[in-house]
Amino acid sequence: MTGLLTPGTLTGPARQPHAPDPGPSVREGAGQRVRRSARFLLRRPGLVLSLVLLALVLVSAFFPGVFTSQDPLAGVPRDKLQGPGAGHLFGTDQLGRDLFSRVVHGSSLSLRATVLAVAVGLVGGSLTGLLAGYLGGWVDAVLMRGADVLLSIPNLLLSMAVVTALGFGTVNVAIAVGITSVAGFARIMRSEVLRVRGAVYVEAARASGARWYSVLVRRVLPNASGPVLVYAAVDFGAVVLQVSSLSFLGYGATPPAPEWGALVSGGRDYLATAWWLTALPGLTIAATVLAANRISRALDGEDRKTP
């Protein structure tokens, strides 16, 4: 009996070996990711500048008071047509209104219209492409022929026709621009659905007796939405330009609302004497579009293809 006893049995139960502490390795992995991201950004100063610029524009759109406390609609007649300087960073317009405050507050109207337009195109196009790619047959034929008709009409001309039918205003401009982008989203979503619907997990869900709309929402949509979301980022810059173009033509908000396109249009009569009225809002639009395009290239993976 005593021969069966061991020191471990006399001193208590044997100690279980401790599991290795994963903390340092996890922290090391997180640190490597941070360093990799930092190296990625340091090699691309243009991307960093674009991120900072777009962040500032978005902040100005939702919190304009961070950048200026001046009223964009109140003018001082004695200060009219002053050039850019310390008192007025972007100068003043023909009514003595501070142009910088008008550009900052105008970002709210322009970017909110842009976000609404992208949302309309994303939702409408995704739903169209999802049904066309999954159901196929006559549904696919009818929906895609409708998308082809939209693609055959120039975007600006189509948006002008839609906003004329709906009526002028920022919201109607956003809806019109969103309708013009439905076809692009629909084609991308359809191609992804055609790729995903033959996957093993989709076939298994069908074989288990799941209803077609359950398979569509729970299996197909999550695995086909990635490229569509990237396209939404790519389309953002083009939508900013299109919304500003319609505002420039007078389809946007009623004056004196400071939309970006309307600011550029309002300064045309003063190009010879007050170049800043058109140039500075125009440069703001151009910088925003270029920054959005640069970020969308990074999201699309183009930067990762280059050393």
Side-chain angles (χ1 to χ4, degrees), residues 22-245:
S25 61
V26 171
R27 289 193 295 269
E28 183 180 356
Q32 288 178 351
R33 287 193 295 270
V34 171
R35 288 192 294 271
R36 191 182 306 115
S37 300
R39 287 195 299 268
F40 177 82
L41 293 174
L42 288 175
R43 289 197 298 266
R44 293 161 177 84
L47 177 59
V48 176
L49 180 62
S50 299
L51 288 169
V52 172
L53 178 61
L54 194 58
L56 292 176
V57 172
L58 290 174
V59 171
S60 70
F62 294 96
F63 306 100
V66 173
F67 298 97
T68 179
S69 59
Q70 300 193 47
D71 187 349
L73 303 180
V76 181
R78 68 173 180 273
D79 293 337
K80 66 179 182 180
L81 298 180
Q82 289 188 3
H88 303 281
L89 292 179
F90 283 10
T92 59
D93 63 6
Q94 67 276 13
L95 299 178
R97 296 172 297 193
D98 182 70
L99 186 59
F100 179 74
S101 67
R102 289 178 65 76
V103 170
V104 169
H105 285 269
S107 64
S108 177
L109 293 173
S110 298
L111 290 191
R112 287 180 183 179
T114 300
V115 171
L116 178 58
V118 172
V120 170
L122 176 64
V123 174
S126 297
L127 181 60
T128 302
L130 192 65
L131 294 176
Y134 188 78
L135 297 179
W138 66 269
V139 176
D140 183 19
V142 170
L143 293 178
M144 286 300 101
R145 295 301 76 76
D148 291 340
V149 170
L150 291 178
L151 289 173
S152 66
I153 305 173
N155 285 346
L156 185 59
L157 181 61
L158 179 60
S159 58
M160 289 172 61
V162 174
V163 77
T164 301
L166 295 177
F168 295 178
T170 304
V171 175
N172 291 338
V173 164
I175 294 174
V177 174
I179 290 174
T180 64
S181 61
V182 164
F185 283 101
R187 292 176 68 89
I188 294 175
M189 176 59 83
R190 176 180 178 271
S191 65
E192 289 299 309
V193 171
L194 291 176
R195 178 184 62 82
V196 170
R197 73 176 185 179
V200 176
Y201 52 85
V202 175
E203 296 295 337
R206 289 173 178 168
S208 66
R211 297 182 181 274
W212 68 269
Y213 52 82
S214 176
V215 176
L216 193 63
V217 174
R218 300 181 62 183
R219 297 290 185 269
V220 177
L221 180 59
N223 293 283
S225 59
V228 181
L229 296 177
V230 172
Y231 181 74
V234 173
D235 195 47
F236 186 86
V239 171
V240 170
L241 196 58
Q242 196 170 347
V243 168
S244 298
S245 298

Side-chain angles (χ1 to χ4, degrees), residues 279-304:
L280 296 181
L283 288 174
T284 302
I285 297 171
T288 303
V289 172
L290 292 175
N293 289 342
R294 182 65 184 87
I295 295 171
S296 66
R297 283 175 50 200
L299 292 176
D300 199 22
E302 183 175 328
D303 284 323
R304 293 174 175 79

Side-chain angles (χ1 to χ4, degrees), residues 5-15:
L5 297 177
T6 62
T9 60
L10 294 175
T11 58
R15 295 180 180 179

